[in-house]
PDB file of all heavy atoms in Angstrom:
ATOM      1  N   VAL A   1       0.829  -1.198   0.004  1.00 97.00           N
ATOM      2  CA  VAL A   1       0.002  -0.004   0.009  1.00 97.00           C
ATOM      3  C   VAL A   1       0.874   1.250   0.005  1.00 97.00           C
ATOM      4  O   VAL A   1       0.587   2.226  -0.699  1.00 97.00           O
ATOM      5  CB  VAL A   1      -0.965  -0.018   1.216  1.00 97.00           C
ATOM      6  CG1 VAL A   1      -1.598   1.351   1.397  1.00 97.00           C
ATOM      7  CG2 VAL A   1      -2.036  -1.081   1.018  1.00 97.00           C
ATOM      8  N   ASN A   2       1.941   1.225   0.757  1.00 96.00           N
ATOM      9  CA  ASN A   2       2.842   2.377   0.785  1.00 96.00           C
ATOM     10  C   ASN A   2       3.449   2.651  -0.589  1.00 96.00           C
ATOM     11  O   ASN A   2       3.527   3.791  -1.047  1.00 96.00           O
ATOM     12  CB  ASN A   2       3.961   2.157   1.798  1.00 96.00           C
ATOM     13  CG  ASN A   2       3.475   2.209   3.220  1.00 96.00           C
ATOM     14  OD1 ASN A   2       2.471   2.861   3.525  1.00 96.00           O
ATOM     15  ND2 ASN A   2       4.175   1.534   4.124  1.00 96.00           N
ATOM     16  N   LEU A   3       3.905   1.586  -1.241  1.00 96.00           N
ATOM     17  CA  LEU A   3       4.488   1.734  -2.582  1.00 96.00           C
ATOM     18  C   LEU A   3       3.446   2.196  -3.588  1.00 96.00           C
ATOM     19  O   LEU A   3       3.695   3.037  -4.465  1.00 96.00           O
ATOM     20  CB  LEU A   3       5.110   0.403  -3.026  1.00 96.00           C
ATOM     21  CG  LEU A   3       6.301  -0.069  -2.201  1.00 96.00           C
ATOM     22  CD1 LEU A   3       6.738  -1.458  -2.658  1.00 96.00           C
ATOM     23  CD2 LEU A   3       7.468   0.927  -2.295  1.00 96.00           C
ATOM     24  N   LEU A   4       2.219   1.647  -3.465  1.00 96.00           N
ATOM     25  CA  LEU A   4       1.140   2.046  -4.352  1.00 96.00           C
ATOM     26  C   LEU A   4       0.803   3.542  -4.170  1.00 96.00           C
ATOM     27  O   LEU A   4       0.630   4.265  -5.158  1.00 96.00           O
ATOM     28  CB  LEU A   4      -0.090   1.186  -4.087  1.00 96.00           C
ATOM     29  CG  LEU A   4      -1.355   1.499  -4.893  1.00 96.00           C
ATOM     30  CD1 LEU A   4      -1.101   1.227  -6.365  1.00 96.00           C
ATOM     31  CD2 LEU A   4      -2.539   0.687  -4.414  1.00 96.00           C
ATOM     32  N   ALA A   5       0.716   3.974  -2.919  1.00 96.00           N
ATOM     33  CA  ALA A   5       0.398   5.378  -2.642  1.00 96.00           C
ATOM     34  C   ALA A   5       1.466   6.295  -3.181  1.00 96.00           C
ATOM     35  O   ALA A   5       1.183   7.367  -3.751  1.00 96.00           O
ATOM     36  CB  ALA A   5       0.233   5.582  -1.129  1.00 96.00           C
ATOM     37  N   LEU A   6       2.720   5.911  -3.000  1.00 95.00           N
ATOM     38  CA  LEU A   6       3.817   6.747  -3.515  1.00 95.00           C
ATOM     39  C   LEU A   6       3.751   6.873  -5.042  1.00 95.00           C
ATOM     40  O   LEU A   6       3.914   7.980  -5.586  1.00 95.00           O
ATOM     41  CB  LEU A   6       5.146   6.103  -3.116  1.00 95.00           C
ATOM     42  CG  LEU A   6       6.421   6.868  -3.515  1.00 95.00           C
ATOM     43  CD1 LEU A   6       6.461   8.243  -2.853  1.00 95.00           C
ATOM     44  CD2 LEU A   6       7.669   6.070  -3.139  1.00 95.00           C
ATOM     45  N   GLY A   7       3.464   5.771  -5.709  1.00 94.00           N
ATOM     46  CA  GLY A   7       3.402   5.821  -7.165  1.00 94.00           C
ATOM     47  C   GLY A   7       2.185   6.588  -7.672  1.00 94.00           C
ATOM     48  O   GLY A   7       2.310   7.405  -8.595  1.00 94.00           O
ATOM     49  N   ILE A   8       1.018   6.360  -7.065  1.00 95.00           N
ATOM     50  CA  ILE A   8      -0.208   7.003  -7.533  1.00 95.00           C
ATOM     51  C   ILE A   8      -0.151   8.504  -7.292  1.00 95.00           C
ATOM     52  O   ILE A   8      -0.466   9.306  -8.191  1.00 95.00           O
ATOM     53  CB  ILE A   8      -1.441   6.395  -6.837  1.00 95.00           C
ATOM     54  CG1 ILE A   8      -1.706   5.004  -7.407  1.00 95.00           C
ATOM     55  CG2 ILE A   8      -2.660   7.291  -7.021  1.00 95.00           C
ATOM     56  CD1 ILE A   8      -2.897   4.297  -6.802  1.00 95.00           C
ATOM     57  N   THR A   9       0.233   8.928  -6.087  1.00 94.00           N
ATOM     58  CA  THR A   9       0.255  10.353  -5.815  1.00 94.00           C
ATOM     59  C   THR A   9       1.291  11.083  -6.673  1.00 94.00           C
ATOM     60  O   THR A   9       1.030  12.191  -7.136  1.00 94.00           O
ATOM     61  CB  THR A   9       0.537  10.616  -4.325  1.00 94.00           C
ATOM     62  OG1 THR A   9       1.758   9.957  -3.937  1.00 94.00           O
ATOM     63  CG2 THR A   9      -0.584  10.100  -3.443  1.00 94.00           C
ATOM     64  N   GLY A  10       2.436  10.456  -6.865  1.00 91.00           N
ATOM     65  CA  GLY A  10       3.467  11.073  -7.730  1.00 91.00           C
ATOM     66  C   GLY A  10       2.986  11.228  -9.143  1.00 91.00           C
ATOM     67  O   GLY A  10       3.208  12.290  -9.782  1.00 91.00           O
ATOM     68  N   THR A  11       2.359  10.196  -9.678  1.00 91.00           N
ATOM     69  CA  THR A  11       1.883  10.215 -11.043  1.00 91.00           C
ATOM     70  C   THR A  11       0.781  11.260 -11.228  1.00 91.00           C
ATOM     71  O   THR A  11       0.807  12.080 -12.167  1.00 91.00           O
ATOM     72  CB  THR A  11       1.372   8.848 -11.477  1.00 91.00           C
ATOM     73  OG1 THR A  11       2.447   7.890 -11.367  1.00 91.00           O
ATOM     74  CG2 THR A  11       0.864   8.874 -12.907  1.00 91.00           C
ATOM     75  N   LEU A  12      -0.190  11.254 -10.312  1.00 91.00           N
ATOM     76  CA  LEU A  12      -1.298  12.203 -10.415  1.00 91.00           C
ATOM     77  C   LEU A  12      -0.804  13.640 -10.263  1.00 91.00           C
ATOM     78  O   LEU A  12      -1.282  14.558 -10.952  1.00 91.00           O
ATOM     79  CB  LEU A  12      -2.345  11.885  -9.366  1.00 91.00           C
ATOM     80  CG  LEU A  12      -3.170  10.607  -9.579  1.00 91.00           C
ATOM     81  CD1 LEU A  12      -4.128  10.373  -8.413  1.00 91.00           C
ATOM     82  CD2 LEU A  12      -3.958  10.691 -10.890  1.00 91.00           C
ATOM     83  N   TYR A  13       0.132  13.842  -9.364  1.00 90.00           N
ATOM     84  CA  TYR A  13       0.655  15.174  -9.126  1.00 90.00           C
ATOM     85  C   TYR A  13       1.320  15.728 -10.403  1.00 90.00           C
ATOM     86  O   TYR A  13       1.064  16.839 -10.825  1.00 90.00           O
ATOM     87  CB  TYR A  13       1.642  15.159  -7.967  1.00 90.00           C
ATOM     88  CG  TYR A  13       2.303  16.494  -7.727  1.00 90.00           C
ATOM     89  CD1 TYR A  13       1.557  17.573  -7.224  1.00 90.00           C
ATOM     90  CD2 TYR A  13       3.655  16.695  -7.983  1.00 90.00           C
ATOM     91  CE1 TYR A  13       2.160  18.788  -6.988  1.00 90.00           C
ATOM     92  CE2 TYR A  13       4.239  17.914  -7.759  1.00 90.00           C
ATOM     93  CZ  TYR A  13       3.489  18.969  -7.271  1.00 90.00           C
ATOM     94  OH  TYR A  13       4.082  20.196  -7.037  1.00 90.00           O
ATOM     95  N   ARG A  14       2.121  14.900 -11.022  1.00 88.00           N
ATOM     96  CA  ARG A  14       2.812  15.380 -12.242  1.00 88.00           C
ATOM     97  C   ARG A  14       1.830  15.565 -13.377  1.00 88.00           C
ATOM     98  O   ARG A  14       1.967  16.512 -14.158  1.00 88.00           O
ATOM     99  CB  ARG A  14       3.912  14.381 -12.641  1.00 88.00           C
ATOM    100  CG  ARG A  14       5.118  14.402 -11.704  1.00 88.00           C
ATOM    101  CD  ARG A  14       6.270  13.582 -12.273  1.00 88.00           C
ATOM    102  NE  ARG A  14       5.912  12.151 -12.414  1.00 88.00           N
ATOM    103  CZ  ARG A  14       6.107  11.250 -11.464  1.00 88.00           C
ATOM    104  NH1 ARG A  14       6.625  11.605 -10.302  1.00 88.00           N
ATOM    105  NH2 ARG A  14       5.763   9.982 -11.648  1.00 88.00           N
ATOM    106  N   ASP A  15       0.827  14.698 -13.496  1.00 86.00           N
ATOM    107  CA  ASP A  15      -0.121  14.802 -14.581  1.00 86.00           C
ATOM    108  C   ASP A  15      -1.058  16.004 -14.401  1.00 86.00           C
ATOM    109  O   ASP A  15      -1.402  16.671 -15.383  1.00 86.00           O
ATOM    110  CB  ASP A  15      -0.953  13.514 -14.679  1.00 86.00           C
ATOM    111  CG  ASP A  15      -0.170  12.366 -15.247  1.00 86.00           C
ATOM    112  OD1 ASP A  15       0.929  12.592 -15.774  1.00 86.00           O
ATOM    113  OD2 ASP A  15      -0.659  11.212 -15.145  1.00 86.00           O
ATOM    114  N   LEU A  16      -1.480  16.259 -13.164  1.00 83.00           N
ATOM    115  CA  LEU A  16      -2.479  17.309 -12.915  1.00 83.00           C
ATOM    116  C   LEU A  16      -1.859  18.684 -12.695  1.00 83.00           C
ATOM    117  O   LEU A  16      -2.451  19.689 -13.086  1.00 83.00           O
ATOM    118  CB  LEU A  16      -3.365  16.935 -11.736  1.00 83.00           C
ATOM    119  CG  LEU A  16      -4.214  15.673 -11.877  1.00 83.00           C
ATOM    120  CD1 LEU A  16      -4.939  15.374 -10.593  1.00 83.00           C
ATOM    121  CD2 LEU A  16      -5.201  15.837 -13.034  1.00 83.00           C
ATOM    122  N   TYR A  17      -0.703  18.737 -12.051  1.00 79.00           N
ATOM    123  CA  TYR A  17      -0.147  20.017 -11.643  1.00 79.00           C
ATOM    124  C   TYR A  17       1.229  20.302 -12.223  1.00 79.00           C
ATOM    125  O   TYR A  17       1.744  21.416 -12.063  1.00 79.00           O
ATOM    126  CB  TYR A  17      -0.054  20.079 -10.107  1.00 79.00           C
ATOM    127  CG  TYR A  17      -1.402  19.916  -9.454  1.00 79.00           C
ATOM    128  CD1 TYR A  17      -1.716  18.697  -8.785  1.00 79.00           C
ATOM    129  CD2 TYR A  17      -2.342  20.920  -9.454  1.00 79.00           C
ATOM    130  CE1 TYR A  17      -2.921  18.545  -8.182  1.00 79.00           C
ATOM    131  CE2 TYR A  17      -3.558  20.747  -8.832  1.00 79.00           C
ATOM    132  CZ  TYR A  17      -3.844  19.552  -8.188  1.00 79.00           C
ATOM    133  OH  TYR A  17      -5.066  19.377  -7.583  1.00 79.00           O
ATOM    134  N   GLY A  18       1.882  19.358 -12.839  1.00 74.00           N
ATOM    135  CA  GLY A  18       3.240  19.554 -13.258  1.00 74.00           C
ATOM    136  C   GLY A  18       4.173  19.432 -12.058  1.00 74.00           C
ATOM    137  O   GLY A  18       3.778  18.949 -10.996  1.00 74.00           O
ATOM    138  N   THR A  19       5.370  19.928 -12.168  1.00 65.00           N
ATOM    139  CA  THR A  19       6.306  19.816 -11.048  1.00 65.00           C
ATOM    140  C   THR A  19       6.223  20.994 -10.107  1.00 65.00           C
ATOM    141  O   THR A  19       6.719  20.908  -8.979  1.00 65.00           O
ATOM    142  CB  THR A  19       7.761  19.737 -11.590  1.00 65.00           C
ATOM    143  OG1 THR A  19       7.999  20.877 -12.441  1.00 65.00           O
ATOM    144  CG2 THR A  19       7.929  18.470 -12.391  1.00 65.00           C
ATOM    145  N   ALA A  20       5.602  22.092 -10.516  1.00 58.00           N
ATOM    146  CA  ALA A  20       5.482  23.252  -9.622  1.00 58.00           C
ATOM    147  C   ALA A  20       4.276  24.075 -10.037  1.00 58.00           C
ATOM    148  O   ALA A  20       4.390  25.279 -10.321  1.00 58.00           O
ATOM    149  CB  ALA A  20       6.739  24.113  -9.663  1.00 58.00           C
ATOM    150  N   GLY A  21       3.120  23.440 -10.026  1.00 54.00           N
ATOM    151  CA  GLY A  21       1.912  24.131 -10.504  1.00 54.00           C
ATOM    152  C   GLY A  21       1.076  24.696  -9.400  1.00 54.00           C
ATOM    153  O   GLY A  21       1.537  25.425  -8.529  1.00 54.00           O
ATOM    154  N   ALA A  22      -0.191  24.299  -9.397  1.00 51.00           N
ATOM    155  CA  ALA A  22      -1.147  24.858  -8.463  1.00 51.00           C
ATOM    156  C   ALA A  22      -0.801  24.573  -7.008  1.00 51.00           C
ATOM    157  O   ALA A  22      -1.271  25.252  -6.107  1.00 51.00           O
ATOM    158  CB  ALA A  22      -2.551  24.302  -8.778  1.00 51.00           C
ATOM    159  N   ALA A  23       0.050  23.565  -6.800  1.00 51.00           N
ATOM    160  CA  ALA A  23       0.389  23.220  -5.414  1.00 51.00           C
ATOM    161  C   ALA A  23       1.064  24.362  -4.687  1.00 51.00           C
ATOM    162  O   ALA A  23       1.039  24.454  -3.475  1.00 51.00           O
ATOM    163  CB  ALA A  23       1.340  22.014  -5.416  1.00 51.00           C
ATOM    164  N   LEU A  24       1.684  25.289  -5.433  1.00 62.00           N
ATOM    165  CA  LEU A  24       2.365  26.389  -4.799  1.00 62.00           C
ATOM    166  C   LEU A  24       1.415  27.512  -4.398  1.00 62.00           C
ATOM    167  O   LEU A  24       1.826  28.483  -3.750  1.00 62.00           O
ATOM    168  CB  LEU A  24       3.442  26.936  -5.722  1.00 62.00           C
ATOM    169  CG  LEU A  24       4.535  25.943  -6.134  1.00 62.00           C
ATOM    170  CD1 LEU A  24       5.517  26.592  -7.097  1.00 62.00           C
ATOM    171  CD2 LEU A  24       5.260  25.454  -4.894  1.00 62.00           C
ATOM    172  N   ARG A  25       0.143  27.416  -4.754  1.00 69.00           N
ATOM    173  CA  ARG A  25      -0.791  28.523  -4.513  1.00 69.00           C
ATOM    174  C   ARG A  25      -2.042  28.089  -3.756  1.00 69.00           C
ATOM    175  O   ARG A  25      -3.026  28.791  -3.761  1.00 69.00           O
ATOM    176  CB  ARG A  25      -1.197  29.136  -5.852  1.00 69.00           C
ATOM    177  CG  ARG A  25      -0.031  29.693  -6.674  1.00 69.00           C
ATOM    178  CD  ARG A  25      -0.542  30.469  -7.912  1.00 69.00           C
ATOM    179  NE  ARG A  25      -1.288  29.591  -8.813  1.00 69.00           N
ATOM    180  CZ  ARG A  25      -0.734  28.838  -9.740  1.00 69.00           C
ATOM    181  NH1 ARG A  25       0.584  28.849  -9.908  1.00 69.00           N
ATOM    182  NH2 ARG A  25      -1.449  28.099 -10.533  1.00 69.00           N
ATOM    183  N   ILE A  26      -2.005  26.946  -3.112  1.00 81.00           N
ATOM    184  CA  ILE A  26      -3.215  26.488  -2.413  1.00 81.00           C
ATOM    185  C   ILE A  26      -3.364  27.261  -1.105  1.00 81.00           C
ATOM    186  O   ILE A  26      -2.396  27.666  -0.471  1.00 81.00           O
ATOM    187  CB  ILE A  26      -3.157  24.976  -2.129  1.00 81.00           C
ATOM    188  CG1 ILE A  26      -1.966  24.630  -1.231  1.00 81.00           C
ATOM    189  CG2 ILE A  26      -3.128  24.188  -3.425  1.00 81.00           C
ATOM    190  CD1 ILE A  26      -1.987  23.202  -0.783  1.00 81.00           C
ATOM    191  N   PRO A  27      -4.619  27.507  -0.690  1.00 82.00           N
ATOM    192  CA  PRO A  27      -4.866  28.212   0.573  1.00 82.00           C
ATOM    193  C   PRO A  27      -4.508  27.367   1.773  1.00 82.00           C
ATOM    194  O   PRO A  27      -4.487  26.112   1.690  1.00 82.00           O
ATOM    195  CB  PRO A  27      -6.374  28.494   0.528  1.00 82.00           C
ATOM    196  CG  PRO A  27      -6.938  27.416  -0.346  1.00 82.00           C
ATOM    197  CD  PRO A  27      -5.880  27.147  -1.391  1.00 82.00           C
ATOM    198  N   THR A  28      -4.219  27.969   2.872  1.00 85.00           N
ATOM    199  CA  THR A  28      -3.905  27.264   4.111  1.00 85.00           C
ATOM    200  C   THR A  28      -4.718  27.837   5.263  1.00 85.00           C
ATOM    201  O   THR A  28      -5.266  28.956   5.160  1.00 85.00           O
ATOM    202  CB  THR A  28      -2.399  27.387   4.445  1.00 85.00           C
ATOM    203  OG1 THR A  28      -2.033  28.767   4.556  1.00 85.00           O
ATOM    204  CG2 THR A  28      -1.549  26.733   3.354  1.00 85.00           C
ATOM    205  N   SER A  29      -4.802  27.104   6.356  1.00 87.00           N
ATOM    206  CA  SER A  29      -5.538  27.571   7.525  1.00 87.00           C
ATOM    207  C   SER A  29      -4.601  28.373   8.412  1.00 87.00           C
ATOM    208  O   SER A  29      -3.518  27.896   8.800  1.00 87.00           O
ATOM    209  CB  SER A  29      -6.135  26.370   8.290  1.00 87.00           C
ATOM    210  OG  SER A  29      -5.113  25.449   8.621  1.00 87.00           O
ATOM    211  N   ALA A  30      -5.003  29.581   8.743  1.00 85.00           N
ATOM    212  CA  ALA A  30      -4.167  30.464   9.553  1.00 85.00           C
ATOM    213  C   ALA A  30      -4.302  30.138  11.034  1.00 85.00           C
ATOM    214  O   ALA A  30      -5.320  29.549  11.465  1.00 85.00           O
ATOM    215  CB  ALA A  30      -4.589  31.915   9.323  1.00 85.00           C
ATOM    216  N   PRO A  31      -3.302  30.441  11.847  1.00 88.00           N
ATOM    217  CA  PRO A  31      -3.421  30.214  13.293  1.00 88.00           C
ATOM    218  C   PRO A  31      -4.577  31.008  13.882  1.00 88.00           C
ATOM    219  O   PRO A  31      -4.897  32.136  13.435  1.00 88.00           O
ATOM    220  CB  PRO A  31      -2.074  30.710  13.830  1.00 88.00           C
ATOM    221  CG  PRO A  31      -1.126  30.632  12.671  1.00 88.00           C
ATOM    222  CD  PRO A  31      -1.966  30.932  11.455  1.00 88.00           C
ATOM    223  N   VAL A  32      -5.224  30.446  14.861  1.00 90.00           N
ATOM    224  CA  VAL A  32      -6.341  31.104  15.562  1.00 90.00           C
ATOM    225  C   VAL A  32      -5.911  31.341  17.012  1.00 90.00           C
ATOM    226  O   VAL A  32      -5.591  30.410  17.727  1.00 90.00           O
ATOM    227  CB  VAL A  32      -7.608  30.228  15.527  1.00 90.00           C
ATOM    228  CG1 VAL A  32      -8.727  30.870  16.356  1.00 90.00           C
ATOM    229  CG2 VAL A  32      -8.062  30.010  14.096  1.00 90.00           C
ATOM    230  N   MET A  33      -5.949  32.594  17.421  1.00 90.00           N
ATOM    231  CA  MET A  33      -5.563  32.960  18.779  1.00 90.00           C
ATOM    232  C   MET A  33      -6.717  32.727  19.730  1.00 90.00           C
ATOM    233  O   MET A  33      -7.819  33.227  19.504  1.00 90.00           O
ATOM    234  CB  MET A  33      -5.126  34.435  18.830  1.00 90.00           C
ATOM    235  CG  MET A  33      -4.087  34.845  17.782  1.00 90.00           C
ATOM    236  SD  MET A  33      -2.440  34.369  18.230  1.00 90.00           S
ATOM    237  CE  MET A  33      -2.090  35.546  19.526  1.00 90.00           C
ATOM    238  N   VAL A  34      -6.467  31.989  20.778  1.00 89.00           N
ATOM    239  CA  VAL A  34      -7.492  31.801  21.825  1.00 89.00           C
ATOM    240  C   VAL A  34      -7.377  32.950  22.788  1.00 89.00           C
ATOM    241  O   VAL A  34      -6.306  33.171  23.375  1.00 89.00           O
ATOM    242  CB  VAL A  34      -7.277  30.461  22.567  1.00 89.00           C
ATOM    243  CG1 VAL A  34      -8.296  30.307  23.679  1.00 89.00           C
ATOM    244  CG2 VAL A  34      -7.370  29.285  21.578  1.00 89.00           C
ATOM    245  N   PRO A  35      -8.449  33.715  22.982  1.00 88.00           N
ATOM    246  CA  PRO A  35      -8.379  34.868  23.869  1.00 88.00           C
ATOM    247  C   PRO A  35      -7.882  34.520  25.259  1.00 88.00           C
ATOM    248  O   PRO A  35      -8.180  33.467  25.805  1.00 88.00           O
ATOM    249  CB  PRO A  35      -9.850  35.359  23.922  1.00 88.00           C
ATOM    250  CG  PRO A  35     -10.448  34.870  22.661  1.00 88.00           C
ATOM    251  CD  PRO A  35      -9.778  33.564  22.368  1.00 88.00           C
ATOM    252  N   LEU A  36      -7.070  35.364  25.824  1.00 85.00           N
ATOM    253  CA  LEU A  36      -6.475  35.264  27.149  1.00 85.00           C
ATOM    254  C   LEU A  36      -5.422  34.138  27.215  1.00 85.00           C
ATOM    255  O   LEU A  36      -4.284  34.350  27.624  1.00 85.00           O
ATOM    256  CB  LEU A  36      -7.563  35.026  28.223  1.00 85.00           C
ATOM    257  CG  LEU A  36      -8.596  36.139  28.351  1.00 85.00           C
ATOM    258  CD1 LEU A  36      -9.610  35.805  29.450  1.00 85.00           C
ATOM    259  CD2 LEU A  36      -7.920  37.477  28.674  1.00 85.00           C
ATOM    260  N   LEU A  37      -5.804  32.923  26.833  1.00 84.00           N
ATOM    261  CA  LEU A  37      -4.889  31.797  26.959  1.00 84.00           C
ATOM    262  C   LEU A  37      -3.645  31.977  26.090  1.00 84.00           C
ATOM    263  O   LEU A  37      -2.540  31.574  26.468  1.00 84.00           O
ATOM    264  CB  LEU A  37      -5.589  30.485  26.585  1.00 84.00           C
ATOM    265  CG  LEU A  37      -6.711  30.040  27.508  1.00 84.00           C
ATOM    266  CD1 LEU A  37      -7.350  28.740  26.996  1.00 84.00           C
ATOM    267  CD2 LEU A  37      -6.212  29.855  28.932  1.00 84.00           C
ATOM    268  N   SER A  38      -3.809  32.569  24.920  1.00 82.00           N
ATOM    269  CA  SER A  38      -2.668  32.774  24.035  1.00 82.00           C
ATOM    270  C   SER A  38      -1.693  33.811  24.574  1.00 82.00           C
ATOM    271  O   SER A  38      -0.572  33.929  24.066  1.00 82.00           O
ATOM    272  CB  SER A  38      -3.154  33.192  22.636  1.00 82.00           C
ATOM    273  OG  SER A  38      -3.880  34.398  22.700  1.00 82.00           O
ATOM    274  N   ARG A  39      -2.095  34.554  25.624  1.00 84.00           N
ATOM    275  CA  ARG A  39      -1.220  35.576  26.186  1.00 84.00           C
ATOM    276  C   ARG A  39      -0.411  35.055  27.374  1.00 84.00           C
ATOM    277  O   ARG A  39       0.361  35.817  27.961  1.00 84.00           O
ATOM    278  CB  ARG A  39      -2.064  36.772  26.629  1.00 84.00           C
ATOM    279  CG  ARG A  39      -2.777  37.471  25.483  1.00 84.00           C
ATOM    280  CD  ARG A  39      -3.572  38.659  25.943  1.00 84.00           C
ATOM    281  NE  ARG A  39      -4.270  39.315  24.860  1.00 84.00           N
ATOM    282  CZ  ARG A  39      -5.039  40.384  25.007  1.00 84.00           C
ATOM    283  NH1 ARG A  39      -5.216  40.915  26.224  1.00 84.00           N
ATOM    284  NH2 ARG A  39      -5.644  40.920  23.969  1.00 84.00           N
ATOM    285  N   ILE A  40      -0.575  33.811  27.748  1.00 85.00           N
ATOM    286  CA  ILE A  40       0.216  33.241  28.823  1.00 85.00           C
ATOM    287  C   ILE A  40       1.698  33.296  28.383  1.00 85.00           C
ATOM    288  O   ILE A  40       2.040  32.884  27.282  1.00 85.00           O
ATOM    289  CB  ILE A  40      -0.208  31.782  29.091  1.00 85.00           C
ATOM    290  CG1 ILE A  40      -1.661  31.738  29.546  1.00 85.00           C
ATOM    291  CG2 ILE A  40       0.709  31.148  30.149  1.00 85.00           C
ATOM    292  CD1 ILE A  40      -2.200  30.332  29.704  1.00 85.00           C
ATOM    293  N   PRO A  41       2.570  33.739  29.275  1.00 82.00           N
ATOM    294  CA  PRO A  41       3.991  33.879  28.871  1.00 82.00           C
ATOM    295  C   PRO A  41       4.577  32.534  28.417  1.00 82.00           C
ATOM    296  O   PRO A  41       4.271  31.487  29.000  1.00 82.00           O
ATOM    297  CB  PRO A  41       4.660  34.370  30.171  1.00 82.00           C
ATOM    298  CG  PRO A  41       3.572  35.062  30.902  1.00 82.00           C
ATOM    299  CD  PRO A  41       2.300  34.296  30.593  1.00 82.00           C
ATOM    300  N   VAL A  42       5.385  32.590  27.402  1.00 78.00           N
ATOM    301  CA  VAL A  42       6.154  31.476  26.854  1.00 78.00           C
ATOM    302  C   VAL A  42       5.274  30.406  26.206  1.00 78.00           C
ATOM    303  O   VAL A  42       5.348  30.160  25.008  1.00 78.00           O
ATOM    304  CB  VAL A  42       7.094  30.842  27.902  1.00 78.00           C
ATOM    305  CG1 VAL A  42       7.939  29.729  27.241  1.00 78.00           C
ATOM    306  CG2 VAL A  42       7.974  31.876  28.543  1.00 78.00           C
ATOM    307  N   VAL A  43       4.399  29.738  26.990  1.00 83.00           N
ATOM    308  CA  VAL A  43       3.653  28.590  26.480  1.00 83.00           C
ATOM    309  C   VAL A  43       2.344  28.998  25.836  1.00 83.00           C
ATOM    310  O   VAL A  43       1.736  28.210  25.075  1.00 83.00           O
ATOM    311  CB  VAL A  43       3.361  27.577  27.587  1.00 83.00           C
ATOM    312  CG1 VAL A  43       4.654  27.032  28.174  1.00 83.00           C
ATOM    313  CG2 VAL A  43       2.499  28.171  28.673  1.00 83.00           C
ATOM    314  N   GLY A  44       1.859  30.203  26.079  1.00 85.00           N
ATOM    315  CA  GLY A  44       0.560  30.616  25.542  1.00 85.00           C
ATOM    316  C   GLY A  44       0.479  30.572  24.062  1.00 85.00           C
ATOM    317  O   GLY A  44      -0.414  29.958  23.453  1.00 85.00           O
ATOM    318  N   ALA A  45       1.441  31.198  23.388  1.00 83.00           N
ATOM    319  CA  ALA A  45       1.439  31.233  21.931  1.00 83.00           C
ATOM    320  C   ALA A  45       1.669  29.858  21.356  1.00 83.00           C
ATOM    321  O   ALA A  45       1.168  29.514  20.268  1.00 83.00           O
ATOM    322  CB  ALA A  45       2.506  32.200  21.436  1.00 83.00           C
ATOM    323  N   ALA A  46       2.471  29.047  22.044  1.00 85.00           N
ATOM    324  CA  ALA A  46       2.745  27.693  21.541  1.00 85.00           C
ATOM    325  C   ALA A  46       1.507  26.809  21.549  1.00 85.00           C
ATOM    326  O   ALA A  46       1.253  26.054  20.633  1.00 85.00           O
ATOM    327  CB  ALA A  46       3.876  27.061  22.355  1.00 85.00           C
TER     328      ALA A  46
END
């Protein structure tokens, strides 16, 4: 299954997106600050 997944994803990626296509422009989820808790020194932001 690991070998199959490696082959399928690699093939589909090259066929659909090329080597540096849409994958470089996909949206991502931004960090969400929890009120008060995120302000705890040192560990809050982490």
Side-chain angles (χ1 to χ4, degrees):
V1 167
N2 290 334
L3 296 174
L4 178 65
L6 182 63
I8 287 179
T9 55
T11 300
L12 289 176
Y13 177 69
R14 289 190 297 270
D15 287 348
L16 296 176
Y17 302 105
T19 56
L24 299 178
R25 299 188 299 274
I26 61 172
T28 57
S29 54
V32 175
M33 307 282 286
V34 177
L36 299 180
L37 294 179
S38 60
R39 297 182 181 179
I40 298 174
V42 184
V43 299

